[in-house]
Amino acid sequence: MAGPRVVIIGAGVVGAALADEISARGWTEVTVVDQGPLPATGGSSSHAPGLVFQTNSSKTMTELARYTVEKLSSLDVDGEPCFLQVGGLEIATTPERLAELHRRHGWITAWGVEGRLLTADECVARHPLVDRERVLGGLLVPTDGLAKAVLAVEAQIRRATERGVTFLARHEVLDVRQADGEVTGVLTDQGEIPADIVVCCAGIWGPKIARMVGMNLPLTPLAHQLAWTGPLPALAGQREEAVRPILRHQDGDLYYRDRFDGIGIGYYGHRPMPVTADDILSVDEADGMPSVQEFTEDDFADAWAETRALLPATREAKIEEGINGLFSFTTDNFPLLGESSDVKGFWVAEAVWVTHSAGVGRAMAEWLVDGFCSSFDLHECDVNRFEPHQLSPEYVLTRDCRNFVEVYDILHPLQPSGDPRPIRTSPFYARQQEHGAVFLEAGGWERPQWYEANAPLVEGRSLALPGDWAARFWSPVVAAEAQVTRETVAMYDMTALKRLEVAGPGAAAFLERLVTGKVAKSVGSVTYTLLLDHDGGIRSDITVARLARDLFQVGANGNLDLDWFTRHLPADGSVQVRDITPGTCCIGLWGPLARKVLQPLTDDDFSDAGLKYFRAKRAYVGSVPVTAMRLSYVGELGWELYTTADQGGKLWDTLWRAAEPLGGILAGRGAFNSLRLEKGYRSFGADMTYEHDPYEAGVGFAVRLDKGDFIGKAALERRRADVRRKLTCLTIDDPGSVVMGKEPVYDGERAVGYVTSAAYGHTIGKGIAYAWLPAGLAAAGTALHIGYFDRRVEAVVAEEPLFDPTMSRLRG
Ligand code: FAD
Ligand code: THG
């Protein structure tokens, strides 16, 4: 009952939360070690001003924050509360920011946290220090507030201690011990502590600890300026620590909080100041403050000037203290959670803000104790999500510094993350450039969104034009490419689609254990199927092609699929899994004329009888050896044609020379996304994630409960009868009101769900938005509204798929 022996490294907000949550679940053979004193260890948690803003574009991050608010609100230390629920106010000083606040209000509403937009007067009423002349409006989230991080550490330490957890202050971990690929304990400066599981909650020191087991932890500690004023005459006599809401002024890269009769000022506008984990001093060397560097006043000059303009009362005050405090940034702004893929029993919970700390503690505890996390969908946070290049020190440093700079910027959902680019290019790259490709990034790959060379296609077509926000990273060419795909034929670069090879005498049985469908069928079969977690949640949707008795090719969604496969490999060596993506490439050739293009290029039979729908075979296209799979995410006749990277250019040229004279085109991801939504094909990560089961997501057809056992089967049998929410197809009549995803859906005035992905359907002539809704609202014809910036867009539930429900196109 006491569970395995666990050592948690680090007693900051994250380690303390985990110790509390894991002991609450009955694991009490737990030791928490920290190099510093307790509860103020000298780590980032000791210096955080503790602002908790729950608003986030990620549903998971908002939910982790919401749980943190709920939990810390219930904790105190000898009557002193761990959370001051003063509310959170974000203000706009530009029209663009005001629009952005509406978008952010949409997120928070979509994720089920209450928030409301305020007029300028209401902002000033809430926060009287703000200059009325500077603000245009604000977003108020009443449940936001201030976490007292050190108190939260202490409160959670006390709870865990009562359950039998041991806390060892002033124990520095010098090494993590392992044998046969499993952790066995940690070595501290005061001796060895044996362990079955080690969890690294070492904050900015994380990379140093991870390296002890050979793990590359992609985060960068960056300095961030925090200053405190002396007393403000305007606040004289304020005896409560905080009365005004925490305040964000993103246009100035600034945030503020009360501290009695002074205020705290946080600033992100200065130059990035990264440090390496090795350069951070230990507690003794640093005089107890290793996560703090000296305040560089010059870097703060603009912040102070802007503060005096926005909050005129500060003109009467002085900056009395300041720090350059260190905390972790990551390449995609998500935390790093999970178990090392190489060393069993070595786990990390890193790059976590105070804001998400209790949520992460709970998520990690569930994951460790149950083997999966049922409260939160963690696919964005999994430490094993990265592609190999995304672990390189140069990439990590560059991206992390960039994320520091952009932390409060208004970012469009399609906006590619700038430098370093390009990182990965397919063999088609130069040819795509010649055709004026406009590239966005996918898993590092440069992938055409549309081709400027197709501009003449726009002429003479009636094309729907989106509104301002949706018109960014968009062109009318996208609409034309979509239509032409359904009229003639188009070539799509599918190289970014992650491809795994599963090989060996045990491969068929191995896959059958992991997937919901039957994949050990005849050689040449292709199956659309799902990977589930043990609780029946969808981990991925994949295609599995049987290319030979002991050889399968898997079309996957990302590195987490590779990680999932690798973790489940049989110990006897009878199966090998390999990522063949970098060495191969893929062209999707789709459209009614696809066969006219391909058949003359080959002696192999590409008639309907020669290669049926959802079948694969090896063939030659001209001189190029390909693996051809007859399926199409855009819902048209055609094939995915795979070959090795060296043959890519030749394949491209061969196909293009044949396609162009027939009116064929090159088409990009913008068209692709519109076409797949017309066809109702789900995209993992956007439309469905770990928290959804196949029945509610509308992919129950990919589950065969009549086959042998597979991961998640037992849970599915329970979940099947209980579908309360549904991924639902909505259409929008007004082309200028096409939304983008993550917007709230309203039934009357009540927020009832959220949009997952959306696009205009250029061949069906309607806007399309997929949304999660209560099952009772999922019936066709139900009239609803989507919240889009400051507007409510009319939408109606539609029968799906919207395009070609009889599959006449695909099966032709
Ligand atoms: P830490 O608190 O750093 O804990 C890690 C622990 O690991 C430390 O106690 C350290 O001593 C221990 N450790 C490391 N190496 C070893 C070793 N070898 N042996 C033993 N022990 C070891 N977040 C918010 O949500 N809101 C804010 O307003 C906010 N403002 C911030 C302002 C500043 C100036 C700073 C610096 C950070 C701010 N943050 C804020 C971020 C937040 O403080 C951190 O993300 C969070 O505290 C990290 O918690 P942690 O437990 O992971 O790390
Ligand atoms: N191609 C390949 N693999 C993939 C994708 C792909 N793996 C990841 C992702 N994309 C998987 N998503 C889908 C979604 C739908 C279909 C294929 C891959 C699809 N579905 C048909 C349908 O629903 O009608 C057929 C289903 C069936 O017959 O079982 O085609 O793009 N290689």
Side-chain angles (χ1 to χ4, degrees):
M1 181 55 201
R5 297 165 305 171
V6 179
V7 168
I8 296 172
I9 304 173
V13 271
V14 177
L18 174 58
D20 178 39
E21 297 279 345
I22 206 169
S23 59
R25 285 167 180 74
W27 281 20
T28 51
E29 292 268 309
V30 178
T31 308
V32 184
V33 293
D34 201 294
Q35 63 194 4
L38 296 176
T41 63
S44 304
S45 307
S46 306
H47 312 290
L51 288 84
V52 176
F53 287 97
Q54 296 164 86
T55 308
N56 199 292
S57 62
S58 156
K59 178 168 183 276
T60 297
M61 295 301 271
T62 291
E63 288 175 347
L64 292 168
R66 177 168 55 193
Y67 180 74
T68 304
V69 166
E70 283 165 13
K71 182 173 183 189
L72 297 191
S73 298
S74 74
L75 296 182
D76 67 90
V77 175
D78 304 330
E80 202 180 332
C82 294
F83 194 75
L84 307 177
Q85 201 153 48
V86 290
L89 176 62
E90 303 187 324
I91 52 165
T93 59
T94 62
E96 295 75 27
R97 182 68 61 178
L98 191 59
E100 173 72 359
L101 292 185
H102 280 96
R103 195 166 74 106
R104 296 172 69 79
H105 177 243
W107 297 338
I108 202 104
T109 309
W111 313 148
V113 173
E114 198 219 323
R116 59 181 182 275
L117 290 147
L118 303 185
T119 63
D121 286 334
E122 288 169 327
C123 291
V124 177
R126 293 271 166 178
H127 205 301
L129 297 185
V130 172
D131 181 2
R132 169 69 183 79
E133 298 309 306
R134 296 280 316 265
V135 268
L136 302 177
L139 168 62
L140 179 76
V141 178
T143 49
D144 285 350
L146 284 170
K148 307 284 299 269
V150 176
L151 282 181
V153 168
E154 186 161 15
Q156 294 179 97
I157 286 180
R158 286 189 188 182
R159 282 156 55 115
T161 306
E162 276 169 26
R163 300 191 197 103
V165 173
T166 307
F167 285 82
L168 300 175
R170 298 197 180 281
H171 279 60
E172 183 178 355
V173 171
L174 303 175
D175 197 12
V176 177
R177 303 292 203 200
Q178 52 166 316
D180 302 327
E182 292 189 32
V183 296
T184 57
V186 299
L187 174 71
T188 75
D189 55 357
Q190 306 191 41
E192 192 108 22
I193 308 171
D196 308 304
I197 290 171
V198 172
V199 192
C200 176
C201 304
I204 51 177
W205 292 268
K208 204 166 145 182
I209 305 280
R211 207 175 321 120
M212 295 172 186
V213 295
M215 181 185 187
N216 185 350
L217 194 64
L219 67 77
T220 306
L222 279 132
H224 153 61
Q225 290 198 304
L226 173 67
W228 300 94
T229 69
L232 271 57
L235 301 184
Q238 180 174 321
R239 252 180 253 128
E240 276 176 86
E241 181 172 349
V243 292
R244 279 163 293 275
I246 55 173
L247 181 68
R248 255 182 186 169
H249 169 37
Q250 279 123 311
D251 295 318
D253 288 317
L254 285 158
Y255 66 78
Y256 303 96
R257 57 158 287 181
D258 285 10
R259 189 173 72 172
F260 302 102
D261 57 359
I263 61 166
I265 307 169
Y267 187 43
Y268 288 108
H270 52 79
R271 67 201 156 98
M273 297 184 254
V275 297
T276 67
D278 287 325
D279 291 338
I280 304 165
L281 305 175
S282 72
V283 183
D284 290 337
E285 292 164 319
D287 207 14
M289 301 282 267
S291 67
V292 168
Q293 300 190 326
E294 200 179 329
F295 187 58
T296 49
E297 223 176 314
D298 287 351
D299 290 305
F300 200 71
D302 289 347
W304 186 226
E306 180 63 18
T307 297
R308 289 154 69 94
L310 182 75
L311 311 173
T314 57
R315 292 173 198 163
E316 312 292 317
K318 282 212 239 347
I319 297 292
E320 289 202 336
E321 310 158 43
I323 59 170
N324 288 5
L326 299 175
F327 72 103
S328 308
F329 275 75
T330 57
T331 55
D332 56 7
N333 293 319
F334 285 98
L336 307 172
L337 311 180
E339 188 181 16
S340 150
S341 55
D342 295 327
V343 181
K344 208 162 170 281
F346 185 80
W347 292 69
V348 302
E350 286 283 339
V352 178
W353 288 21
V354 174
T355 301
H356 309 107
S357 58
V360 165
R362 174 174 178 172
M364 293 296 295
E366 287 181 359
W367 195 352
L368 281 156
V369 173
D370 303 331
F372 55 89
C373 173
S374 46
S375 296
F376 308 98
D377 155 33
L378 297 181
H379 83 275
E380 296 162 309
C381 306
D382 193 309
V383 69
N384 296 303
R385 64 187 177 272
F386 300 104
E387 293 289 309
H389 73 272
Q390 293 171 326
L391 297 171
S392 77
E394 181 181 303
Y395 177 90
V396 171
L397 180 65
T398 312
R399 277 281 154 97
D400 290 353
C401 288
R402 191 176 180 90
N403 286 341
F404 178 88
V405 171
E406 289 181 347
V407 69
Y408 280 172
D409 288 1
I410 298 169
L411 300 174
H412 191 276
L414 288 178
Q415 187 165 329
S417 27
D419 294 339
R421 274 181 74 194
I423 297 170
R424 303 177 94 179
T425 53
S426 80
F428 320 133
Y429 185 59
R431 288 154 175 89
Q432 293 164 341
Q433 283 180 310
E434 283 166 20
H435 286 88
V438 175
F439 294 94
L440 299 183
E441 200 194 345
W445 294 100
E446 296 294 324
R447 189 168 63 186
Q449 188 72 1
W450 71 85
Y451 292 87
E452 283 298 339
N454 286 334
L457 295 178
V458 169
E459 275 162 44
R461 288 178 179 271
S462 96
L463 301 173
L465 301 184
D468 166 53
W469 183 250
R472 297 184 202 177
F473 304 95
W474 189 86
S475 155
V477 175
V478 168
E481 289 177 1
Q483 291 184 353
V484 175
T485 303
R486 298 228 191 278
E487 293 162 8
T488 63
V489 61
M491 283 166 55
Y492 287 87
D493 180 359
M494 297 292 287
T495 303
L497 175 79
K498 185 96 165 173
R499 292 174 290 288
L500 309 177
E501 184 183 273
V502 182
F510 164 75
L511 285 167
E512 285 288 335
R513 274 279 305 152
L514 294 185
V515 304
T516 58
K518 287 195 180 169
V519 296
K521 296 184 294 201
S522 60
V523 169
S525 65
V526 182
T527 310
Y528 173 71
T529 188
L530 308 171
L531 303 176
L532 304 181
D533 214 326
H534 294 273
D535 65 349
I538 300 169
R539 283 196 66 101
S540 192
D541 67 335
I542 60 173
T543 56
V544 180
R546 188 170 207 174
L547 300 180
R549 196 191 66 175
D550 294 338
L551 182 66
F552 295 82
Q553 182 170 319
V554 173
N557 282 300
N559 208 63
L560 289 177
D561 294 332
L562 173 60
D563 184 59
W564 187 249
F565 280 8
T566 309
R567 275 172 201 284
H568 289 91
L569 282 177
D572 63 9
S574 63
V575 187
Q576 292 88 45
V577 176
R578 208 159 61 88
D579 181 0
I580 58 169
T581 320
T584 58
C585 57
C586 177
I587 296 173
L589 180 72
W590 294 311
L593 301 186
R595 195 173 277 133
K596 274 217 172 81
V597 172
L598 189 64
Q599 191 61 78
L601 299 173
T602 174
D603 294 336
D604 294 287
D605 183 3
F606 279 92
S607 69
D608 185 46
L611 188 62
K612 289 205 167 66
Y613 184 53
F614 263 80
R615 298 286 300 178
K617 70 174 176 186
R618 300 236 156 100
Y620 291 98
V621 173
S623 63
V624 179
V626 299
T627 300
M629 291 186 203
R630 178 147 170 227
L631 64 100
S632 167
Y633 207 80
V634 304
E636 293 293 330
L637 172 69
W639 307 269
E640 291 177 348
L641 300 170
Y642 297 89
T643 191
T644 48
D646 62 312
Q647 300 284 326
K650 182 74 183 170
L651 177 63
W652 182 277
D653 293 340
T654 306
L655 291 173
W656 181 233
R657 237 173 258 135
E660 197 183 13
L662 297 179
I665 59 163
L666 309 176
R669 198 69 181 184
F672 182 93
N673 194 44
S674 163
L675 296 168
R676 71 107 183 155
L677 283 169
E678 290 185 335
K679 199 70 191 94
Y681 291 157
R682 278 72 173 138
S683 173
F684 177 81
D687 302 318
M688 54 191 189
T689 72
Y690 293 2
E691 68 180 299
H692 306 116
D693 72 42
Y695 303 109
E696 41 192 33
V699 288
F701 67 86
V703 179
R704 295 280 302 267
L705 288 178
D706 58 348
K707 72 169 234 184
D709 199 20
F710 57 87
I711 294 177
K713 184 178 180 186
L716 270 199
E717 280 163 344
R718 289 192 301 276
R719 284 176 81 148
R720 183 157 71 137
D722 190 30
V723 173
R724 294 183 204 178
R725 53 184 178 183
K726 276 192 140 156
L727 183 60
T728 308
C729 178
L730 302 173
T731 57
I732 301 166
D733 279 335
D734 172 21
S737 298
V738 173
V739 301
M740 303 216 57
K742 303 187 186 239
E743 296 86 1
V745 180
Y746 294 92
D747 175 28
E749 280 309 301
R750 202 165 48 102
V752 289
Y754 59 92
V755 175
T756 56
S757 36
Y760 194 76
H762 297 287
T763 75
I764 60 153
K766 273 186 173 29
I768 308 165
Y770 271 79
W772 280 99
L773 292 174
L777 291 172
T782 309
L784 300 164
H785 287 91
I786 300 173
Y788 190 47
F789 293 93
D790 56 351
R791 298 194 296 128
R792 297 282 167 98
V793 173
E794 286 179 18
V796 59
V797 176
E799 214 68 76
E800 63 167 326
L802 299 166
F803 178 78
D804 192 22
T806 61
M807 312 277 281
S808 63
R809 297 280 187 143
L810 284 158
R811 295 184 184 280

